[in-house]
Amino acid sequence: MIELEPILLQIPLPRPRRVFPHSQPVESLPVCLVRVDDGQNVSHGEALVLEVESLPAAVDLFADALANSDARDFGLVWQRMVGLLKEYEPAPPGDYSAVMGAIDMALWDLAGRALNVPCYALAGGARAQQVDCYAGGLYVDDPELAAKAKQLRQKFGAIQLTLTGDKEADLAAVKSVRRVIGDEAPLLVDADGRYEDPEVALAVGQALEQAEVYWYQEPLPTGRWDEYAKLRPAIGPALAADKRVFGLKSFERALHARALDAVVADLRLCGGMSGGQRLAELSWLHEARLSFHNALSPLAQVAAVHLAVAHWHVGPLQIEPDSPVTGLTDPAPTLKDGFLRLPEGKGLGVQVSDKFVELYRVELPEYG
């Protein structure tokens, strides 16, 4: 017997912060959770929901269909949830897919605990006990860019810089950050789809090679895979995308077009751990790397490290330091010298903190 409960947290930030690369800074951070109770244990998954009004409606869609399921059948349950999305086509589709992924994330944890194994064992095994990470949260238009780059370099081996779409300003910032972090540290850049003109995207990509940039993420808007495929062999850095995609078919179209060297996905959006596992297999078939974009979420970081250690081609993982959500999990993820360690214990090896939930829980908006 599986019971679901939607939970909305609103976490005040010590200072305004961007949630997405080119969004306005916000003073509080919404976190959408789904509590899953299988009658023996309780777990939580996290969904990257853009319209929080969708959270209770999405949970209701899945609740009846999952009521008589067993968490150990998480793969079959995931297929059933995908079937519900195809049958009802609820909107917004990304939010419903995200809630499905949150449920799936919790089911993996419950299955691992029921079977007395860690989640990486359910994914196929562990090639290592830690995974390398790169630091996000660095922006070209930050007036303290150089100082923040230096600070991040002290904690991480690799750093990602988010561009603005202004070619000259972006390239000047890349050179500045490269000087600060040194020649040996991998530097990644994320254009967040800001270059509409393929010729400009090409010119930037070729210039990035001179700065020895490791990868060039989302230079063009999502979905323009034919243009990505033309851009890919013409630049030195690896071409990466697409953290906003939520369906496996969308990723498959990009890979089939031979548009990417690396797939970047968010487990809170792309179908949870079952979606991430299938995406790892898909990217392996197309000889592309896979990286999980975890932003501020410690729960997504832990789920991602379990999948990453089970696949040779998965990593590095994206993390934003100084997360205000660190207290969400008990224990907090262990990050040392730029590496995220596997937690010990069965299932995910962490639990969502009841105290944290009680402190920041707010009333769900009405829907219907």
Side-chain angles (χ1 to χ4, degrees):
M1 183 73 176
I2 293 178
E3 295 182 354
L4 309 178
E5 178 187 2
I7 297 173
L8 176 61
L9 310 181
Q10 198 72 40
I11 302 167
L13 303 178
R15 62 184 184 281
R17 187 166 186 163
R18 304 184 211 197
V19 178
F20 301 105
H22 293 96
S23 63
Q24 292 297 315
V26 296
E27 296 182 350
S28 65
L29 180 69
V31 174
C32 295
L33 302 174
V34 181
R35 182 180 185 271
V36 182
D37 184 342
D38 69 352
Q40 300 294 323
N41 291 294
V42 171
S43 185
H44 297 76
E46 183 179 348
L48 183 57
V49 171
L50 300 182
E51 298 180 19
V52 295
E53 296 82 2
S54 303
L55 178 60
V59 169
D60 277 356
L61 174 67
F62 299 117
D64 289 343
L66 271 60
N68 296 317
S69 300
D70 188 318
R72 292 171 296 184
D73 297 329
F74 58 89
L76 292 174
V77 173
W78 187 85
Q79 293 176 54
R80 188 178 307 160
M81 290 191 289
V82 170
L84 288 173
L85 294 182
K86 290 181 178 178
E87 179 179 357
Y88 291 102
E89 298 182 344
D95 286 352
Y96 278 77
S97 178
V99 171
M100 178 189 75
I103 296 168
D104 176 80
M105 189 183 298
L107 291 177
W108 273 65
D109 180 43
L110 292 171
R113 286 194 268 163
L115 297 170
N116 201 31
V117 296
C119 283
Y120 66 76
L122 302 178
R127 58 181 170 84
Q129 294 301 304
Q130 61 184 14
V131 178
D132 58 326
C133 301
Y134 63 93
L138 191 65
Y139 300 92
V140 165
D141 56 359
D142 191 323
E144 300 179 357
L145 176 63
K148 289 186 177 179
K150 183 177 181 180
Q151 184 181 32
L152 288 174
R153 180 66 182 96
Q154 294 172 351
K155 298 180 180 180
F156 290 85
I159 295 172
Q160 179 165 280
L161 174 65
T162 299
L163 308 182
T164 64
D166 181 330
K167 175 186 171 184
E168 302 306 324
D170 289 343
L171 293 178
V174 168
K175 292 179 181 178
S176 174
V177 171
R178 173 52 79 195
R179 285 194 298 270
V180 169
I181 68 175
D183 294 333
E184 296 182 0
L187 176 60
L188 301 75
V189 302
D190 179 7
D192 199 44
R194 305 294 282 186
Y195 298 121
E196 290 284 346
D197 186 342
E199 294 301 321
V200 175
L202 173 61
V204 171
Q206 292 174 335
L208 293 177
E209 186 173 1
Q210 303 304 312
E212 298 184 0
V213 165
Y214 176 69
W215 81 29
Y216 184 23
Q217 183 177 334
E218 297 178 24
L220 297 164
T222 295
R224 291 164 56 173
W225 303 129
D226 289 344
E227 293 175 345
Y228 270 80
K230 293 177 182 177
L231 178 62
R232 182 184 172 200
I235 62 174
L239 197 54
D242 189 315
K243 57 186 178 287
R244 290 193 184 88
V245 170
F246 61 84
L248 289 178
K249 287 187 176 180
S250 296
F251 287 111
E252 198 281 332
R253 282 193 287 269
L255 291 167
H256 182 74
R258 303 187 64 81
L260 302 175
D261 296 293
V263 174
V264 180
D266 193 320
L267 289 177
R268 299 169 301 157
L269 184 63
C270 74
M273 296 185 71
S274 292
Q277 178 80 339
R278 287 164 171 79
L279 184 54
E281 295 164 355
L282 180 64
S283 59
W284 174 270
L285 289 173
H286 287 274
E287 301 180 333
R289 293 197 64 83
L290 172 61
S291 173
F292 291 118
H293 169 95
N294 307 299
L296 299 171
S297 170
L299 190 55
Q301 290 168 16
V302 170
V305 76
H306 276 277
L307 288 184
V309 298
H311 300 277
W312 291 106
H313 67 301
V314 178
L317 306 179
Q318 187 266 4
I319 289 179
E320 291 196 23
D322 304 319
S323 170
V325 199
T326 300
L328 176 64
T329 62
D330 184 19
T334 301
L335 183 67
K336 185 177 181 180
D337 299 327
F339 288 85
L340 188 64
R341 289 196 60 82
L342 268 174
E344 297 180 359
K346 53 192 176 181
L348 288 173
V350 303
Q351 290 294 301
V352 165
S353 167
D354 291 334
K355 290 183 179 179
F356 191 90
V357 170
E358 291 173 7
L359 184 61
Y360 296 114
R361 187 168 184 170
V362 297
E363 186 176 348
L364 285 162
E366 295 183 1
Y367 74 97

